[in-house]
Amino acid sequence: MLLCIDCGNTNTVFSIWNGTEFLSTWRIETNHKRTADEYYVWLTSLMMLHDMKVRIGAVVISSTVPRVVFNLRVLASRYFDCRPLVVGKPECLLPVAPRVDIGTTVGPDRLVNTVAGFDRHGGDLIVVDFGTATTFDVVAPDGAYIGGVIAPGVNLSLEALHASAAALPHVDVTMPEKAVGTNTVACIQSGVFWGYIGLVEGIVRQIRLERARPMKVIATGGLAELFEQGFDLFDSVEYDLTIHGLRLIHDYNKGLATA
C-alpha cells in the first residue's frame, strides 16, 4: 500500500491508499523535531485504533518544510523498508514540467495541486489553496504549472494583526452578519472575511484578464469552505486535492520505472 504524506507549514497529513481508495487520513502538527520513531508510534497507534492491518510498501512525500523531510525519509526506510519519492527532488518526475523563470524553485505542494487539478478538471485552471499562505496556482491547457500568486494566509494575517496592535484581540475567522461591525471583534472579522473575499475575486479577475480565456477556479485548504458559503467564487472545493496529486505523481513515476 502507498503512504502519502503532505507536510505543510502548520500541519502534516498522512493518508493510506490501497490501490482503489484512501482508507484513512490523519493530521498532525508539523514539527521538525519529531523523530521517525515518534511518527511510527503515532501512525501505528491510529492504525490499531481503526483496526487496520496494512503493509506499507511505498511512500510519497510533499513538504514545504525542508527540515522535516529527513525524519520522514528515515520513517520510510527504517519502518517500511522503502525509499520515499519526494516531490521537488530530481528523481521525482512530473507528467508535465513547470514553465517558470530559470532558477525558480516551485513549492512541492503547488506542483502536486497542479497535477491533481489538471487530472480532475483539465487545463486553464486556477487552484486557490487556503493554507498558511493563500496561494493561486495557474495551470496551462497542457497541465503545466506556469506561475501564480502568493498572499499571506488568513490565520497568519490575524496573528500579525494581534501581534502588532496591542489593543486588538486575537479572534477566530468567521463570516460576519454584516460588513459594518459594532464591536472590535466584529470589525476584525469583517475586515478579514470581506478582505479575503475581495482578494480572491480581484486576483482571479486579473489572472483571467491576463490569460484572456475562461478559467475554472478550484479551492482547497482548511478555510476554503468558509469563503465558499453564499458566494460564486469557486467552481469546486476539494479538500483531498493534494493527497490525490501525491498518489498520481507516485503512479506516474512507478509507471516510468516499470516501462
Side-chain angles (χ1 to χ4, degrees):
M1 295 190 186
L2 172 66
L3 175 62
C4 298
I5 304 175
D6 170 30
C7 177
N9 289 295
T10 304
N11 293 310
T12 300
V13 176
F14 291 71
S15 194
I16 298 175
W17 173 259
N18 69 355
T20 304
E21 62 181 348
F22 284 104
L23 298 178
S24 266
T25 297
W26 300 299
R27 187 179 301 267
I28 192 171
E29 180 187 13
T30 298
N31 181 354
H32 72 273
K33 294 182 180 180
R34 186 171 288 114
T35 67
D37 302 329
E38 290 174 310
Y39 279 121
Y40 183 72
V41 169
W42 172 78
L43 191 59
T44 52
S45 296
L46 285 170
M47 290 180 185
M48 291 175 61
L49 184 64
H50 290 80
D51 195 27
M52 293 175 60
K53 296 178 176 62
V54 301
R55 181 183 182 279
I56 303 298
V59 178
V60 59
I61 301 169
S62 167
S63 178
T64 59
V65 186
R67 296 175 69 185
V68 174
V69 175
F70 173 78
N71 282 317
L72 292 176
R73 283 184 179 274
V74 175
L75 170 70
S77 61
R78 178 181 297 168
Y79 290 106
F80 304 129
D81 194 27
C82 67
R83 181 178 181 180
L85 183 68
V86 182
V87 179
K89 299 300 181 183
E91 65 272 14
C92 180
L93 301 179
L94 302 175
V96 184
R99 294 195 291 272
V100 293
D101 294 343
I102 295 174
T104 299
T105 300
V106 182
D109 56 330
R110 308 182 76 181
L111 297 174
V112 174
N113 285 346
T114 295
V115 172
F118 180 73
D119 177 71
R120 287 180 171 173
H121 303 279
D124 287 328
L125 187 69
I126 303 170
V127 180
V128 185
D129 190 345
F130 291 92
T132 304
T134 300
T135 59
F136 299 73
D137 302 321
V138 181
V139 185
D142 65 348
Y145 171 87
I146 56 172
V149 176
I150 301 175
V154 177
N155 288 319
L156 191 63
S157 296
L158 283 169
E159 291 170 6
L161 187 65
H162 173 63
S164 300
L168 297 181
H170 188 282
V171 303
D172 293 326
V173 61
T174 186
M175 181 179 176
E177 294 183 2
K178 53 186 179 180
V180 179
T182 53
N183 58 71
T184 302
V185 170
C187 289
I188 295 173
Q189 289 175 333
S190 181
V192 171
F193 181 83
W194 291 111
Y196 272 86
I197 291 289
L199 175 82
V200 173
E201 290 178 330
I203 290 177
V204 166
R205 181 172 60 250
Q206 189 60 33
I207 292 173
R208 284 173 169 160
L209 284 172
E210 291 181 6
R211 297 290 294 163
R213 61 209 306 160
M215 302 190 74
K216 289 183 179 179
V217 181
I218 308 303
T220 189
L223 291 176
E225 185 178 16
L226 171 67
F227 294 101
E228 180 194 26
Q229 51 184 330
F231 302 94
D232 191 24
L233 291 177
F234 315 119
D235 293 284
S236 178
V237 174
E238 302 177 14
Y239 300 103
D240 66 337
L241 195 68
T242 308
I243 291 297
H244 176 63
L246 281 171
R247 193 266 298 178
L248 292 173
I249 290 173
H250 168 267
D251 289 353
Y252 177 76
N253 283 267
K254 182 180 178 181
L256 293 176
T258 57

